Amino acid sequence: MTVVLTVNAGSSSLHLAYVDVTGAVGARLDRSTPPADAEAAVRDFVTGRPAPDVVAHRLVHGGDLVVRPTVVDDGLRGALDGVAALAPLHLPPALDLLDQLRRLLPDVPQLVCPDSAFHAGLPEPARTYPVPARWRERFGLRRYGFHGLSYAYATRRAAELLGRPVADLHLVLAHLGGGASVCAVRGGRSVDTSMGFTPLDGVPMSKRSGAVDPGMLLWLLDGRLTYDEVFDGLHHRSGLLGLSGGRSGDTRDLVAAAAGDPAAALAMDTFNHRVRREMAAAATSLDRLDAVVFTGEIGWDQPEVRHDVCVGLRLLGVVPPTGGNRDDDGPVSAPGAAVPVLVVQPREEFELAREAAGALARV
């Protein structure tokens, strides 16, 4: 039985799990701290346990270098440093962790599974930026899209819950967490998504801005702020944190504070507005809307957000869910709803294990 060690390094979190081909999860390591602070914990977690058959790493951004699950050799590992700037909050810690596990498990194949792979087949109008052609050709400028591991799993899970083949479904999904995005899926394929060339695009996130007017950034960079100030502001001080005046980047805190804090209320209203706006836009890439799917930590665990987002989707036939959370995946909309609203717990480790097992079988 193939056992996969799945590795999911976020900008400020780390999740490792031993998963077998049946989907059973063994030992886990979950930390809500930057991966750079977890070297000793990773070593202790891996040492003393039987070696897995393969290690599967979530790679947020593979650029044009890694477009499918790929075994890492020294050549590829060196080349990955060249794409690190495309996701500066995610790739450097993920690559450090890759190096550590290659040292700890030198005889075990290590695969990188790019989050952008799910969106690799985006239709040309959806992936092409309206910038000079020579820029696109020289720098590979295009919409890549992210959270693909989450969307791939949630799409299959939604099909199971609805009792319909993936190939028959037209879905709008929202992965809402510290990072957040929206995706339209038709017949199991991503046809539009809110994140673009980097994971900074799209809806506001915990501390990241999401999409803002490029003209505003040019104006700020014209002698008003330095590049480093703009970079830090967009990546670390914006989103929910910036909207709430620095109170919090956590929707749980902001929902609780909204009644008595206008800045917290504005943060949540803006977040919900931007998510529903992206979901409505994504639906225009579909022929119909069979279901709306929420995943990610916020999507799974915050009924207030799901309700307030769906309030603005009535035009699409979505009735806002009024209940609370579920203990399992399934509908949160009323029985018989024309457009079911589903919640799917984020389980990227299952998708990592699935892709790693498939890649090994092809070798």
Side-chain angles (χ1 to χ4, degrees):
M1 180 180 296
T2 301
V3 175
V4 183
L5 173 58
T6 64
V7 183
N8 187 345
S11 57
S12 58
S13 63
L14 176 62
H15 306 282
L16 275 69
Y18 286 88
V19 184
D20 67 34
V21 290
T22 69
V25 178
R28 297 187 63 99
L29 173 66
D30 297 291
R31 292 175 63 98
S32 298
T33 56
D37 299 335
E39 184 172 344
V42 171
R43 182 182 63 246
D44 293 343
F45 179 73
V46 171
T47 302
R49 287 189 169 87
D53 297 295
V54 60
V55 182
H57 298 257
R58 176 190 174 216
L59 188 73
V60 168
H61 203 325
D64 290 328
L65 181 66
V66 183
V67 297
R68 63 184 61 84
T70 304
V71 176
V72 177
D73 57 20
D74 291 342
L76 176 58
R77 172 61 192 90
L80 285 170
D81 287 327
V83 300
L86 296 176
L89 302 188
H90 299 86
L91 285 181
L95 294 178
D96 287 344
L97 197 58
L98 172 62
D99 292 340
Q100 182 185 5
L101 287 166
R102 291 183 77 199
R103 291 192 299 269
L104 290 171
L105 300 168
D107 299 321
V108 177
Q110 311 256 343
L111 282 86
V112 286
C113 301
D115 240 347
S116 48
F118 186 68
H119 309 286
L122 279 174
E124 192 168 8
R127 70 171 185 260
T128 304
Y129 283 117
V131 297
R134 65 181 182 277
W135 293 5
R136 299 197 304 268
E137 294 161 4
R138 180 180 178 186
F139 301 113
L141 303 183
R142 55 157 292 182
R143 185 174 296 277
Y144 283 94
F146 305 99
H147 294 133
L149 295 166
S150 177
Y151 287 133
Y153 174 76
T155 295
R156 285 198 317 279
R157 189 74 180 106
E160 293 172 0
L161 295 167
L162 294 169
R164 296 174 60 180
V166 168
D168 289 348
L169 287 175
H170 291 220
L171 306 171
V172 170
L173 303 97
H175 176 104
L176 306 180
S181 69
V182 168
C183 181
V185 173
R186 183 173 63 223
R189 297 183 59 189
S190 171
V191 293
D192 201 4
T193 189
S194 60
M195 281 184 168
F197 183 67
T198 75
L200 188 59
D201 196 7
V203 302
M205 293 165 254
S206 176
K207 299 178 182 178
R208 281 176 270 165
S209 64
V212 295
D213 182 354
M216 178 181 71
L217 301 182
L218 293 174
W219 183 82
L220 289 171
L221 288 167
D222 188 21
R224 294 170 178 86
L225 293 175
T226 66
Y227 169 86
D228 288 342
E229 287 172 323
V230 171
F231 180 97
D232 181 61
L234 295 177
H235 283 92
H236 301 293
R237 304 180 190 278
S238 294
L240 292 166
L241 183 66
L243 286 164
S244 66
R247 179 175 187 132
S248 178
D250 191 320
T251 54
R252 293 168 297 186
D253 298 336
L254 298 174
V255 166
D261 182 346
L266 173 65
M268 290 311 307
D269 288 345
T270 303
F271 178 79
N272 294 332
H273 167 76
R274 291 287 296 276
V275 171
R276 76 170 72 101
R277 178 181 172 185
E278 289 289 349
M279 294 179 80
T284 66
S285 293
L286 305 175
D287 299 329
R288 62 182 186 274
L289 184 57
D290 293 323
V292 167
V293 183
F294 287 93
T295 189
E297 296 91 339
I298 297 170
W300 165 253
D301 196 38
Q302 287 227 246
E304 306 91 345
V305 172
R306 296 193 299 264
H307 174 271
D308 290 353
V309 168
C310 289
V311 161
L313 299 177
R314 288 191 175 99
L315 188 64
L316 300 178
V318 178
V319 176
T322 56
N325 285 325
R326 297 178 56 104
D327 294 327
D328 57 355
D329 300 339
V332 289
S333 51
V339 179
V341 178
L342 307 177
V343 291
V344 173
Q345 186 175 8
R347 301 305 298 263
E348 288 163 312
E349 69 272 25
F350 288 168
E351 185 63 22
L352 281 166
R354 176 178 175 273
E355 292 192 4
L360 283 185
R362 292 190 295 269
V363 172

